[in-house]
Amino acid sequence: APPLPERQRIALASRLPLEPPDPTADPPVPPGRSSHAPRPARSSRPERFTKMTTAHALNASAFAGAKVTPARGARSSAVGRKSVVTRAMAVKTKTLSIPKTFEELKRRGQCAFIPFICAGDGGIDTTEKAVRILDEVGSDVIELGVPYSDPLADGPTIQAAATRALEAGTTLDQVIDLVARVTPDVSAPIVLFTYYNPIYQRGFEPFVKKIAAAGAKGLLVPDIPLEETGELSAVCKANGLDLVLLSTPTTPEERMAKIAEKSNGFIYLVSVTGVTGVRSGVESRVEGLVKSLKSVTDKPVAVGFGISKREQAAEVVQWGADGVIVGSALVKALGEAKTPEDGLAALKELAVELREGSNREGAKPKGSGGGFFARLMGKA
């Protein structure tokens, strides 16, 4: 589309409505024609004008960041006359898939910061605010845990958070609705963390379709063995969802290679033999585990369990990890504060610290990953 005039760019950037020409006003009379000559009938809002303003608004919104709502009656030429311009036009933020997110991070030379929180701890509204805060401070992927009564992979902190959430009446449907509310506004893809039983009870296909429709980009199921992931993995793939698998310190190298082959999005490397929880340091053998995984796959490797401080995150980055996953420390900051407001403030403060610790030295800032326009502007 041609460049917009200055007035239209300013109006779009400030989200002010454009005023179309008055369709009832008489047009200028061409030379040699009587002003009393009959004119063809006109609609109250010409279709040509509607199409032009919609196209121009879409073109400008990409640069101005404006939230654009299509003109009434406008239709998408890409999908035919029967399809009204989709509500995606009004979405402010486009969320990349998990693989695309890691590709962008690799181009920038950056390591991913992946926080985990338990949905419903402190209330669903508090969780929604927490997700938005985590996105604002620069999280690259967000793990959202579904509270479960028997979280066998989790330590006391996350178990307590899940118990509080369940006692407050948090349900799986509420968590999925939460995902649907936040995904239009956040840039970090959301990975839903849940145990196998809720998925089994609903059925693979209905469950996966519902969370994919809500906007989730990934699924992590800690208690499903590699040998039983085939059907679920196929359903996830058919619905554009990445099934993330875990590897542990006791996983033999041959099995590690199979897990890496079947995992999508990234591989979750558990750093300890045991459950989640805050620890004083990260075990040095993690460096060797990262190298072992990277020797059998080119997929991203993210390290989790036991990371709670900036220094620990920085150490994992130095060992070559592609992502740093932090759960218990953030869950504790949010859930064990005196009030939800205090919890959100503590969560933000710690998340900023951990984001800084997860930064790789020399990484380019967000938005300067490369490409033609970045090179043209000298940002690549």
Side-chain angles (χ1 to χ4, degrees), residues 329-330 332-335 337 340-352:
L330 293 168
K332 184 175 182 178
L334 177 64
E341 291 73 22
D342 290 344
L344 290 168
L347 174 82
K348 184 174 183 177
E349 183 180 357
L350 180 57
V352 168

Side-chain angles (χ1 to χ4, degrees), residues 157-190:
T157 300
I158 296 179
Q159 284 185 24
T163 299
R164 289 191 297 266
L166 292 172
E167 288 177 347
T170 305
T171 65
L172 176 58
D173 284 331
Q174 287 178 338
V175 178
I176 296 173
D177 288 343
L178 164 64
V179 173
R181 287 197 302 275
V182 299
T183 48
D185 302 318
V186 301
S187 59
I190 292 178

